[in-house]
Amino acid sequence: MNLPSKLIEDAVTEISRLPGIGKKTALRLALHLLKQNEVNTEALALALTRMRTEIQYCKTCHNISDAEECSICISHRRDGGLICVVEDIRDVLAIENTNQFSGKYHVLGGVISPIQGIGPEELKIESLMERIEKAQQDQPVQEVILALSATMEGDTTSFYLAKRLKEKSIKVSTIARGIPVGGELEFTDEVTLGRSILTRINYSTE
């Protein structure tokens, strides 16, 4: 793509690094920003910079947060005895959009995948176990929902977690299979995902 300005070219290159954005779309966005009031463009740049430098990860559940603990973990309206285990932050957002879950979350940061060299030690599994152990002194965890994608890696992770949680005598459930096998949780429609949370079933390792 031949552009008359190296500055525009650099902007297009950086914008096109975003997922789902090609060079042509990146050029349209760059030209759009160029036409905007300078204050607006600077506000966008500042917002992105602050997001990148100031965002934190909740020390309890590992969700994104503006403070040491996220708004969900510190909320007295959420049921601390119910923890929904998810793979990624995007899954938290997807479940929250259903308005069907009133508990709290734990973000693993991935799933077990031997092919990619990801084992249990690479995930936030130990912090989940420590969290459950610590909660016994305050508000005991009654149930853990395994809301992982219906993939081979997701099922492997669910099975591993269920085995670990069985030692703690905690009810373990999984979202109902309204989620298609092989499907990613974040792309599931809100109605189906909400019903899957409400109609969750006990998870068996037998």
Side-chain angles (χ1 to χ4, degrees):
M1 182 180 291
N2 296 319
L3 298 172
S5 166
K6 181 66 166 57
L7 295 173
I8 288 289
E9 184 179 334
D10 290 344
V12 169
T13 298
E14 294 305 317
I15 294 173
S16 66
R17 295 182 193 277
L18 296 172
I21 297 183
K23 290 284 187 179
K24 289 184 178 180
T25 300
L27 177 58
R28 285 198 296 272
L29 291 171
L31 293 177
H32 171 76
L33 291 172
L34 190 61
K35 292 178 182 178
Q36 296 301 299
N37 186 295
E38 188 174 337
V39 174
N40 295 337
T41 306
E42 289 177 350
L44 172 61
L46 178 60
L48 292 174
T49 300
R50 289 192 62 193
M51 177 191 72
R52 187 64 185 86
T53 59
E54 297 179 22
I55 201 79
Q56 298 184 54
Y57 291 91
C58 178
K59 69 176 184 178
T60 301
C61 74
H62 311 292
N63 189 19
I64 51 176
S65 176
D66 290 339
E68 196 174 36
E69 279 194 287
C70 71
S71 57
I72 294 176
C73 281
I74 64 175
S75 174
H76 297 296
R77 296 182 178 180
R78 309 294 294 227
D79 182 2
L82 181 61
I83 296 179
C84 183
V85 178
V86 297
E87 173 185 347
D88 191 78
I89 291 165
R90 291 170 294 185
D91 299 329
V92 174
L93 301 177
I95 294 174
E96 281 297 284
N97 284 336
T98 68
N99 294 315
Q100 297 294 333
F101 182 66
S102 60
K104 298 187 178 183
Y105 296 92
H106 192 87
V107 182
L108 294 177
V111 287
I112 297 172
S113 177
I115 294 178
Q116 296 181 12
I118 302 174
E121 60 279 359
E122 272 76 49
L123 306 178
K124 305 296 185 183
I125 293 177
E126 289 310 315
S127 68
L128 172 62
M129 300 303 162
E130 292 171 6
R131 178 181 176 184
I132 291 173
E133 193 67 35
K134 185 178 179 181
Q136 299 305 103
Q137 306 167 10
D138 184 21
Q139 184 180 13
V141 175
Q142 304 295 329
E143 179 182 358
V144 172
I145 305 172
L146 303 177
L148 303 176
S149 298
T151 60
M152 183 179 296
E153 292 80 7
D155 287 344
T156 299
T157 307
S158 291
F159 185 79
Y160 177 85
L161 286 170
K163 281 286 191 182
R164 293 287 305 273
L165 291 166
K166 190 175 182 181
E167 303 169 2
K168 298 184 179 297
S169 300
I170 292 175
K171 179 181 178 182
V172 179
S173 60
T174 183
I175 54 178
R177 291 299 190 188
I179 310 299
V181 174
E184 297 291 340
L185 207 66
E186 64 172 301
F187 298 122
T188 305
D189 68 274
E190 294 173 6
V191 173
T192 300
L193 184 55
R195 286 176 179 171
S196 295
I197 290 289
L198 289 176
T199 59
R200 59 187 180 276
I201 57 177
N202 289 336
Y203 190 94
S204 174
T205 58
E206 302 301 328

